[in-house]
Amino acid sequence: MKNLKNKYFVLRHGESKANVAEIILSHPEHGAHDDFTLTQKGQEQVRESIRKAQLSGLLDEKTIIY
């Protein structure tokens, strides 16, 4: 078997409206509402995480983020 060179990272999302409301969403159907999107702070947290990962060399232009 070849040695693969893929790297996988798992990162939890930033603060969401459900987090602020102290609602636990354990089923995708319940979490797919516009009501539970990321807050402005959560969006900034995600951008900052990506920026730090890029500066540290973990992420490059080939990186795909889902």
Side-chain angles (χ1 to χ4, degrees):
M1 178 178 238
K2 289 183 179 181
N3 290 333
L4 301 178
K5 296 183 184 190
N6 295 345
K7 294 180 184 178
Y8 298 91
F9 301 92
V10 177
L11 176 69
R12 190 178 184 283
H13 61 77
E15 178 185 82
S16 72
K17 294 175 184 176
N19 297 143
V20 173
E22 298 183 356
I23 298 171
I24 298 172
L25 300 172
S26 58
H27 195 284
E29 286 181 15
H30 302 290
H33 301 240
D34 287 338
D35 297 341
F36 301 125
T37 58
L38 294 180
T39 62
Q40 185 66 36
K41 177 182 176 181
Q43 292 175 30
E44 291 168 11
Q45 289 171 325
V46 172
R47 280 192 284 273
E48 181 64 13
S49 293
I50 292 168
R51 187 186 72 76
K52 286 180 178 179
Q54 288 171 325
L55 289 173
S56 70
L58 290 174
L59 304 180
D60 61 19
E61 68 279 348
K62 296 177 187 175
T63 302
I64 299 171
I65 299 175
Y66 289 96

